[in-house]
């Protein structure tokens, strides 16, 4: 039994070492990105923003949209209505912020940003459950309209 355990441990060590080497060779790996960037202390063309950095920023829109889509199956049941409406509100505003910060610029997302602005004007800065419940139709309608808009712009979330 001891011999097979040692061989198994050795095999595991070899596999993990190979994995670590292959991961270290990938500059996109988060753990190696910081060491790679700290290694070059002199400014160069590689330190300026490039097209390869755009997917990282656009990923924020994709992630925020995924969060909004996660609310599509939810509903305002008596036990979870406050949570649900608050989450829809938060997801809409997370997506709004991501769109405004996207490298394509806020002008690339005119309709969703305008829909959130309209929602905010109606809510009057009041995020309380009472106010969200009062504006539930507008809140859910805004979510659904933005979902439809994004579905029509697959380059922005795929």
């Amino acid at each position: 039994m001891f011999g097979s355990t040692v061989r198994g441990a050795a095999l595991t060590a070899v596999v993990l070492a190979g994995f670590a080497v292959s991961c270290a060779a990938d500059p996109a790996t988060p753990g190696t990105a910081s060491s790679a960037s700290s290694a070059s202390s002199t400014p160069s063309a590689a330190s300026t923003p490039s097209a390869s950095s755009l997917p990282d920023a656009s990923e924020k829109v994709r992630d925020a949209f995924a969060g909004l889509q996660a609310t599509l199956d939810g509903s305002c049941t008596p036990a979870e209505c406050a949570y649900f409406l608050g989450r829809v509100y938060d997801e809409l505003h997370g997506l709004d912020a991501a769109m405004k910060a996207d490298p394509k610029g806020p002008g690339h997302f005119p309709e969703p940003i305008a829909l959130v602005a309209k929602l905010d004007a109606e809510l009057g800065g009041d995020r309380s459950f009472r106010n969200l419940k009062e504006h539930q139709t507008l809140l859910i309608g805004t979510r659904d309209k933005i979902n439809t808009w994004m579905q029509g712009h697959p380059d922005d979330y795929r």
Side-chain angles (χ1 to χ4, degrees), residues 40-108:
S40 64
S41 59
T42 58
S44 67
S47 65
T48 59
S50 66
S52 65
S53 66
L54 293 179
D56 293 338
S58 295
E59 234 174 83
K60 292 180 181 178
V61 171
R62 181 178 19 259
D63 291 346
F65 181 54
L68 183 66
Q69 284 188 306
T71 68
L72 292 174
D73 291 330
S75 63
C76 199
T77 62
E80 295 197 16
C81 194
Y83 167 78
F84 172 70
L85 295 179
R87 179 164 181 211
V88 171
Y89 177 91
D90 290 343
E91 297 294 349
L92 283 169
H93 286 83
L95 181 59
D96 184 60
M99 288 177 169
K100 289 176 179 174
D102 191 85
K104 296 172 192 166
H108 184 74

Side-chain angles (χ1 to χ4, degrees), residues 4 14 16 27 42 44 46 48 52 69 73 115 129 146 148 158:
S4 66
V14 169
L16 289 176
T42 58
S44 67
T48 59
S52 65
Q69 284 188 306
D73 291 330
L115 288 167
F129 169 64
I146 290 175
T148 300
R158 289 190 180 159

Side-chain angles (χ1 to χ4, degrees), residues 5 17-18 26 31 36 51 56-57 66 79 91 100-101 118 120 129 144-145 148 154:
T5 303
D26 182 5
D56 293 338
E91 297 294 349
K100 289 176 179 174
K118 180 181 175 188
D120 286 346
F129 169 64
D144 293 346
K145 288 175 184 173
T148 300

